[in-house]
Amino acid sequence: MDERQKDQPAADQKMKDSGKNSEQQPVTACLFSAAFFGALGSSFIYGYNLSVVNAPALYIKAFYNRTWMERYGEPLGAETATLLWSVTVSIFSIGGLLGAVSVTMILKILGRKGTLLLNNIFALIAVLLLSLGESAKSFEMLIIGRFIIGVDSGIALCALPMYLGEITPRHIRGSIGQFNAILICFGVFTGQVLGLPELLGQETRWSYLFTFLALPAVLQLCVMPFLPESPRYLLIERRDAAGAERAFQRLLGKKDVSQELEEVHAESRAQDNMHTASVLQLLRSQAVRWQLITIIVSMACYQLCGLNAIWYYTNGILRDAGFADNIIPYITLTTGAIETLAAIISGLVIERIGRKPLLIFGFVSMAVFFSLLTVFLHFQDSMSWMPYLSYVCILAVIASFCSGPGGIPFVLTGELFEQSYRPAAFMIAGIVNWLCNFAVGLLFPFIQEALQAFAFLVFVVVCVLGSIYLYFVLPETKNKTFMDISQSFAKINKIPVPSPGQEMELVLSCKPDMYGKDIIKMESSF
C-alpha cells in the first residue's frame, strides 16, 4: 500500500499527460471507417425507411387494390385499404420494438461488431420481400418486409451507438457518436431524393426504392469484418487482453495503449460483478437509478418532442401555402437537407460546446418555434403569406432537433452506464424509443383533430419539461471517462463517492496483469 501511495503522483501525472496527448491525436482511418461503415449499414437504413414510403404511397395503395381485385374479384374497401396501409406503416415500429427487446441477448453472444454484421441478414431478407412483393402480387410480402426492416432498425439503434462509444477515445466520443444521427438524417434525405418522379418515384420503378437498401447492407458486410471489435467488450466481457490491446492499437493508430487499457481495467474493477447485468438488475440497482431515469426522459423526449408529427404535416402546410402538388417533393428536399446539415454541424461542435448545452438548446428552440408555428397556423387563412412563415418554422424546428436532441440521447445512453449495465440500458432506451414512436403515430391524428392549430402546444410542453429536467439532473459528460460520469451521479443516487486515492488504487491494482491472459476477478471497490 505504501509503495502504491509513493507511485500515485507519478501515475496521476502519467494519466494527465496521456489525456493531453490523446486530445492532439487525429482520428485514424480505422476509427473513421468503423464509424462510417457501422452507421451506413445501420443508422442510414433506419433513416431511409422513415422517408422511403412517402413518395410511392399512392402507387403502393394502387398495387394493394389491384392485387385484392385479382384475388377476390371486387375492389378493396375503403376501410380495409386504410387498415392495410396503416399496418404497412406502423408495423415498422413494432419490428423496431422487437429488435430492441432482443438486442441484449445478441450482444452478449456475438459482441458489438458481430451484432452489426448479423443484422445485415435481416436487412437483406427485408430487401427481397419488399422488392419482389409487387412481382409476386403479394402485399403480405411488403408488410412482412417492413416488419423485418423494423427489427433491423431496432437492433441497429442499440448496437451501433454502443459500438461507437466503446471504440472511441473520450475526447472525440461525442463527435464520433454523432455519426449515428448524421447517417440517420442522410438516410432520410436519400429516401426523399430517390423518391423524386425523375428517379424511382414512378409507378413502374417504386419497388427499386426498396432494392436500394441492399447497397448499404452489402457495403457494411464487405468492410466490417476487417475492422476491430470493441476493445472494452473484448477486455471486460471476453477477458481477451491481447485482443483488446490489438484493437486499441488499430483504432488509435499507436503502439502504446497502456493508458487506455488501464482505464478499462479500472472501470471493470469498480463494478459489482463481471457479468452483464439483466434488465431487472438494472431496474433494481440504486447505483444507476438516476442515469436510467435520465435516459428514459431524454429518449422519450426524442420521440415525443414532435418531429415525427412535423413530417406528417409538411405537405399539407405546403399545399396551404399555394404550392402545386408536382413541386412539393422538391421543396420537401429542403427539410432533409437542413436536417443533415444541422446534424453535421452538431457533430463538429459537440466536443467544444458539450452534450448538455446542445440538448437544452435544441429542446428550448423547438419549444419556441412550435409556439410560433401554432400562431402562424392559427392565422394562416387570414394572410396569404402566413403559410410561408409556417414553413420557415418547420425548417427551424427540424434544425433545432438535429442540433442536439436528434443524436445526443443515443450518445448519452452509452456514456452514462459502465460496461456491465450498458446492454440492458440500451435495451430499455430502445423500448422507450419505439413505444413513443408508435404512440405519436397513433395518437397525434386524434390530438390534431381535437386541438387543430393548437396541437403543437402539446410538444411545447414536452420540450420545456425535458429541458428543465436535463438542466437540473444531467451532468456534462464531455471528455470524461465512464467511471467519472458514473461517479458524478453518486450523490443523487445516494451511494458513496470514492476518494481520489481509492480511484488511483483501482488503476494501480490493474497494472500487474495488464498484459496477462486473464483478468483478475473483480472485487467491490467500496
Side-chain angles (χ1 to χ4, degrees), residues 24-40:
Q24 299 172 356
Q25 184 181 340
V27 176
T28 63
C30 180
L31 179 58
F32 180 85
S33 298
F36 177 77
F37 286 101
L40 183 67

Side-chain angles (χ1 to χ4, degrees), residues 315 318-319 322-330:
N315 286 359
L318 289 172
R319 288 190 188 95
F323 293 106
D325 285 346
N326 62 333
I327 66 169
I328 285 178
Y330 304 95

